[in-house]
């Protein structure tokens, strides 16, 4: 009966449109009351879920990303990307993907990526004759790359949800090759669709201008090296790197580009506070929900159920992928990672699957879920920026969705793509 109350109330509340944080909190409280546990246990678990030092990295990376957008760093990265790939067929689509990759290596957020890059690129693509559905789908699918490469917020969440036993530095490193593969697959898809529709290419600016664009964007690009190099070498932790990212982004926006004024700084602070409050509320309620699942021994039941279906790791990974893709259609990324990691990690460990490899697979799965309604956060942002309906975007998403699924399958069944690079640092 406790299982029914926990999962049933959560599902019903979510289906009637209640925010995910309240669905998790109310379901947890109702289950605790049924089990005769004092209600304060739920609030204690919420507090302990948010009161993790490593979690401090998330609000600081959010703040750093906002400073970069308002400080002109994103504009210069897009201009540099345009110089590199704009001359290819469907040039602005290619620019969108490369710019998302570069900006994602700084912000670590798919939503920030879709908002910042999409806000600049979608209107330009529409003005050059690109279909808005195409522009939005390029934007929202490219935004997933930010989840794979450092400093991905959700890699940090996965590490925390795994009990802190999975290295953030290894996760950051493991996501680089899959992130590049995803970018390449989306670029090929964008090229094929653009060629079929006759979209134009942009003139090559020449090597002199390209060199100038590189120099102008270099302060922003250096941040990628500072974050990854510092965490990987052990000079500072992921949390410390997020603070350094804020200070560096502020210094570049104010002293180098001189585009961040007092008003913009205040707006960036307020936006970071609002976003952080929403994220932490979801994290706290998801932690309480996850604790109740552990209390009810859901993990052991999951291991037994999957073992009864198959003991072949290939089949197990396929089942887990299907489960995560289905959950991603109606759960946002943070609760999905926090809730499912404690449940599924013991399963994959029982079948000899590396936790770092599984972390990359989980993040890519959850990232694809951000573009699948009814709870597709990145898709919603892209449609809002592009001024089109969800239905219109879904009509043309399938080539890009197919490319993402193909990369997911490749990364799932070729662990070396995730584990090769971390192994070089050990």
């Amino acid at each position: 009966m406790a299982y029914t109350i926990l999962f049933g109330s959560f599902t019903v509340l979510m289906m009637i449109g209640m925010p995910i944080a309240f669905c998790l909190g109310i379901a947890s409280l109702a289950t605790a009351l049924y089990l005769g546990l004092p209600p304060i246990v739920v609030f204690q678990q919420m507090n302990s879920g948010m009161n993790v030092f490593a979690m401090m990295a998330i609000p600081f990376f959010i703040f750093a990303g906002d400073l970069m957008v308002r400080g002109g760093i994103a504009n210069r990265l897009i201009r540099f990307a345009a110089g590199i790939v704009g001359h290819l067929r469907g040039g602005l689509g290619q620019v969108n993907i490369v710019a998302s990759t570069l900006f994602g290596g700084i912000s670590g957020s798919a939503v920030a990526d879709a908002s910042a890059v999409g806000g600049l690129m979608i209107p330009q693509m529409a003005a050059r004759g690109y279909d808005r559905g195409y522009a939005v789908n390029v934007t929202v699918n490219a935004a997933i790359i930010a989840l794979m490469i450092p400093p991905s917020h959700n890699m940090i969440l996965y590490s925390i949800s795994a009990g802190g036993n999975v290295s953030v530095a290894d996760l950051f490193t493991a996501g680089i090759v899959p992130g590049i593969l995803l970018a390449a697959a989306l670029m090929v898809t964008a090229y094929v669709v653009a060629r079929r529709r006759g979209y134009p290419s942009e003139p090559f600016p020449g090597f002199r201008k390209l060199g100038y664009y590189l120099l102008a964007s270099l302060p922003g690009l250096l941040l990628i090296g500072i974050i990854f190099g510092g965490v990987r070498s052990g000079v500072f932790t992921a949390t410390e790197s997020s603070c350094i990212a804020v200070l560096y982004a502020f210094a570049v926006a104010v002293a180098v580009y001189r585009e961040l004024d007092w008003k913009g700084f205040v707006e960036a602070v307020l936006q970071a506070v609002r976003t952080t409050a929403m994220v932490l509320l979801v994290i706290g309620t998801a932690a309480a929900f996850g604790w109740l699942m552990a209390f009810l021994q859901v993990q052991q039941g999951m291991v037994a159920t999957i073992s009864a279906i198959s003991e072949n790791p290939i089949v197990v990974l396929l089942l887990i992928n299907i489960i995560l893709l289905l959950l991603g259609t109606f759960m946002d990324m943070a609760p999905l990672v926090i809730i499912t990691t404690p449940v599924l990690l013991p399963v994959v460990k029982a079948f000899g699957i590396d936790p770092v490899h599984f972390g990359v697979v989980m993040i890519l799965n959850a990232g694809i879920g951000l573009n699948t309604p009814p709870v597709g956060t990145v898709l919603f942002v892209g449609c809002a920026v592009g001024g089109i309906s969800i239905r219109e975007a879904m009509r043309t998403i399938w080539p890009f969705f197919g490319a993402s699924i193909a990369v997911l399958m490749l990364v799932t069944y070729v662990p070396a793509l995730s584990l090769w690079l971390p192994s070089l640092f050990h």
Side-chain angles (χ1 to χ4, degrees):
M1 186 62 183
Y3 291 93
T4 304
I5 294 173
L6 183 65
F7 295 106
S9 58
F10 170 73
T11 304
V12 171
L13 291 171
M14 192 164 51
M15 289 177 65
I16 64 176
M18 183 173 287
I20 188 75
F22 294 102
C23 297
L24 291 165
I26 292 171
S28 301
L29 186 59
T31 306
L33 291 172
Y34 172 78
L35 292 171
L37 299 172
I40 196 171
V41 169
V42 174
F43 297 101
Q44 288 173 337
Q45 293 303 318
M46 287 176 60
N47 180 66
S48 63
M50 294 184 283
N51 191 22
V52 178
F53 179 73
M55 203 78 76
M56 290 291 292
I58 296 173
F60 279 110
F61 276 131
I62 291 170
F63 187 30
D66 212 309
L67 288 174
M68 291 167 204
V69 173
R70 298 175 191 277
I73 296 176
N75 288 342
R76 287 165 176 82
L77 291 176
I78 290 174
R79 188 171 61 179
F80 176 52
I84 298 174
V85 296
H87 60 281
L88 301 176
R89 172 68 71 174
L92 291 184
Q94 307 292 343
V95 171
N96 198 323
I97 296 166
V98 174
S100 290
T101 305
L102 295 175
F103 186 71
I106 296 173
S107 71
S109 167
V111 173
D113 198 317
S115 179
V117 177
L120 294 168
M121 290 302 305
I122 292 175
Q124 292 185 42
M125 293 176 73
R128 292 281 283 124
Y130 291 78
D131 179 75
R132 282 188 176 269
Y134 173 85
V136 167
N137 281 310
V138 169
T139 300
V140 299
N141 284 278
I144 299 174
I145 300 168
L147 305 172
M148 306 301 298
I149 56 180
S152 168
H153 309 164
N154 293 283
M155 293 287 193
I156 299 170
L157 271 184
Y158 172 79
S159 175
I160 295 169
S161 302
N165 298 319
V166 183
S167 165
V168 173
D170 283 348
L171 289 168
F172 277 3
T173 311
I176 292 174
V177 172
I180 293 172
L181 280 175
L182 181 58
L186 292 174
M187 289 181 73
V188 171
T189 304
Y191 176 86
V192 171
V193 176
R195 188 176 181 85
R196 188 182 305 157
R197 297 185 182 183
Y199 291 146
S201 57
E202 304 300 312
F204 182 66
F207 289 104
R208 178 174 293 182
K209 275 194 173 182
L210 185 59
Y212 170 75
Y213 295 157
L214 173 60
L215 287 174
S217 62
L218 202 56
L221 294 173
L222 282 175
L223 184 56
I224 301 173
I226 292 171
I227 293 171
F228 176 71
V231 174
R232 182 69 267 183
S233 64
V235 173
F236 41 73
T237 65
T239 306
E240 292 163 347
S241 75
S242 66
C243 301
I244 291 169
V246 170
L247 294 174
Y248 184 88
F250 179 79
V252 170
V254 173
V256 180
Y257 295 149
R258 299 182 180 180
E259 292 191 16
L260 183 68
D261 56 15
W262 176 250
K263 181 182 177 182
F265 176 75
V266 172
E267 289 175 351
V269 171
L270 293 175
Q271 183 60 39
V273 169
R274 282 192 291 266
T275 305
T276 301
M278 290 187 291
V279 171
L280 288 181
L281 180 59
V282 171
I283 288 171
T285 52
F289 193 91
W291 180 84
L292 279 165
M293 286 199 301
F295 183 83
L296 295 171
Q297 298 185 332
V298 173
Q299 291 91 334
Q300 292 86 331
M302 181 69 76
V303 172
T305 302
I306 292 180
S307 298
I309 296 172
S310 175
E311 294 192 356
N312 186 329
I314 295 176
V315 177
V316 169
L317 280 172
L318 179 61
L319 288 172
I320 289 174
N321 275 334
I322 293 171
I323 291 169
L324 289 173
L325 287 171
L326 289 174
L327 290 174
T329 62
F330 59 86
M331 287 182 69
D332 209 352
M333 189 159 191
L336 178 62
V337 172
I338 295 170
I339 291 170
T340 58
T341 297
V343 176
L344 296 177
L345 192 56
V347 176
V348 299
K349 283 183 175 179
F351 288 92
I353 298 164
D354 190 279
V356 173
H357 171 226
F358 178 66
V360 175
V361 172
M362 169 173 277
I363 296 301
L364 184 51
N365 262 297
I368 293 171
L370 293 175
N371 286 328
T372 52
V375 185
T377 310
V378 173
L379 180 63
F380 295 165
V381 170
C383 289
V385 172
I388 64 172
S389 67
I390 302 296
R391 181 176 296 180
E392 188 177 350
M394 290 302 294
R395 288 198 196 104
T396 53
I397 199 174
W398 302 111
F400 301 98
F401 190 78
S404 299
I405 293 294
V407 172
L408 171 62
M409 291 295 103
L410 185 63
V411 171
T412 298
Y413 292 115
V414 186
L417 294 173
S418 303
L419 301 177
W420 168 72
L421 203 54
S423 69
L424 296 181
F425 291 93
H426 287 284

